[in-house]
Amino acid sequence: MGNFASPVACSLVVVASLCLLNFLIVVPHYFYKMTPVENIPQNTKESPVTGSPSIQAPMVVVVCEAALNNGSHQSLVNNATTVKDIEKYVDLLRESWTRQLEQLNSMLKTLLYFSKSDKWRIIVMTDTVSTFNKVIKLTHTFPERHRQRLELQHEKVWFPDKYPGIKEHWRPCVWAKQFLAEALPHEDSVVYFDTDVVFLGPAEEVWSLLRSMKTGQAVSLAPEPQYILDNPKRPYAGRAGLNTGVIIANLTRLRQLPGGGLGSAILREGSFYPLPRHDQDALNHFLMNKPHLVQEVTSRWNFAPSSCFSSAPSCPDCVSAGILVLHGADMSFYRNVERKFLTMYNAVKWLKLDENPSVLLNNVTLQLSHKDSWTPYFPCSNYTNINLALTQGLSHASSLHDHPSII
Ligand SMILES: *[C@@H]1O[C@H](CO)[C@@H](O)[C@H](O)[C@H]1NC(C)=O
Ligand SMILES: *[C@@H]1O[C@H](CO)[C@@H](O)[C@H](O)[C@H]1NC(C)=O
Ligand SMILES: *[C@@H]1O[C@H](CO)[C@@H](O)[C@H](O)[C@H]1NC(C)=O
Ligand SMILES: *[C@@H]1O[C@H](CO)[C@@H](O)[C@H](O)[C@H]1NC(C)=O
Ligand SMILES: *[C@@H]1O[C@H](CO)[C@@H](O)[C@H](O)[C@H]1NC(C)=O
């Protein structure tokens, strides 16, 4: 036994140290002191959303290819072993069109897998028609009966004439999501998602947030606790900063802002500066003194690795109802930021749309519990009941699948 164990133990040590090295270099800011996050499960069941709410209020995604790394066949295997390799890999990821397409594929698959809606109207805003065609092509890999549920509509991204360069600002088209009211004059409301999210439950539930906004509230946003830890501090809105990966927006109300839309109002107020300020910072700056415009929701609706920080606002419904939208912010579906994010992403990346949810649930549960024995230095290591929060949607889907008569 001893003879057998030592080479295994040795290679485990090597792997573990490489992982730690990778982690240390890539995310030094996670090394803040953290205390366990207590989440008390509560019964906070929303009224169920049925039907196809995106017909009334479309889902919106923005996909731009220009200025991105054009090697569409580039391998995204992380084989980095040295500091320099890791930096190179992160640069490759940041610019990678392959990554963007893979993420979009996973997002659409999880949308179709968990949702019961028979139609999904999705406005795909792109820089060129060719980019839109690539998105269409991607959906051709889905089984016909699922593909028929998608109704993709093309719109061009919209930017104000007076700010040339805003299109390329930070990353291609990131600012586009601030100009939805301007770009989509015929829509009353929309639900916007970054392409680096996957759904872990029925996406239509997000649409309930449009209805729960009070008169005067124009957007619903979840926290971005990274702002609390930043040094030097950036101005932020909400309890802990707000994340723009998921934006539930009443465009009719946004059009009442000075300039006729959110982005235009931000620019008017000068929140664009100092450069380089990305759109999320600008939005936080803009909303800082306008809390009446925002319905702040829990991270259940937009859960990034930073949602696990002990400084993050608590999220009882993350555990009781399950995380609905998992957000691989800052490329965390492709690098070693939080191992459980990688587990979830890899499980859905290879998912077949007719996969039995119980099989997937068993597989994912096992993998997640293996990760519990890793070093406790990942952002979600001490987050109480994180495994449950990540798998509630799948548990629900498997009980419906195995006992369809319960509904
Ligand atoms: C989690 O808790 C352990 C034990 O208290 C501690 O050593 C570790 O630093 C914590 N991890 C994080 C990411 O806070
Ligand atoms: C990407 O490469 C293709 C063919 O190699 C080329 O036609 C296209 O213009 C390139 N796109 C960009 C954005 O550089
Ligand atoms: C890692 O993989 C890339 C692409 O597959 C390759 O070009 C590179 O040489 C590899 N690097 C190492 C250190 O093996
Ligand atoms: C959006 O706001 C307008 C104006 O207040 C309102 O008439 C409309 O019903 C709202 N849309 C939704 C989906 O709640
Ligand atoms: C479980 O997941 C692993 C890793 O994603 C995969 O290799 C394996 O085939 C899966 N097993 C089943 C039964 O789905």
Side-chain angles (χ1 to χ4, degrees), residues 137-179:
K137 201 170 146 202
L138 179 134
T139 64
H140 288 175
T141 61
F142 302 158
E144 181 61 21
R145 74 193 165 87
H146 285 294
R147 181 151 54 99
Q148 279 177 352
R149 297 163 67 199
L150 294 176
E151 204 171 273
L152 303 187
Q153 224 175 296
H154 180 231
E155 292 287 344
K156 279 198 78 167
V157 286
W158 187 96
F159 293 104
D161 297 332
K162 270 202 283 181
Y163 290 80
I166 196 170
K167 180 159 183 270
E168 275 76 39
H169 196 64
W170 199 257
R171 282 186 219 168
C173 300
V174 286
W175 269 87
K177 57 181 154 175
Q178 305 299 341
F179 297 103

Side-chain angles (χ1 to χ4, degrees), residues 36-50:
V37 175
E38 289 299 340
N39 278 314
I40 304 115
Q42 284 180 0
N43 274 329
T44 47
K45 280 257 173 290
E46 277 89 28
S47 57
V49 174
T50 50

Side-chain angles (χ1 to χ4, degrees), residues 13 23 82 87 109 123 125 134 143 149 157 177 191 194 219 223 226 251 259 273 286 291 305 387 403:
V13 169
F23 172 63
T82 67
E87 284 169 358
K109 267 203 307 183
I123 296 182
M125 303 183 75
K134 287 178 188 171
R149 297 163 67 199
V157 286
K177 57 181 154 175
V191 179
D194 277 356
V219 285
Q226 182 60 48
L251 302 184
Y273 301 101
F286 176 77
N387 295 3
H403 310 281

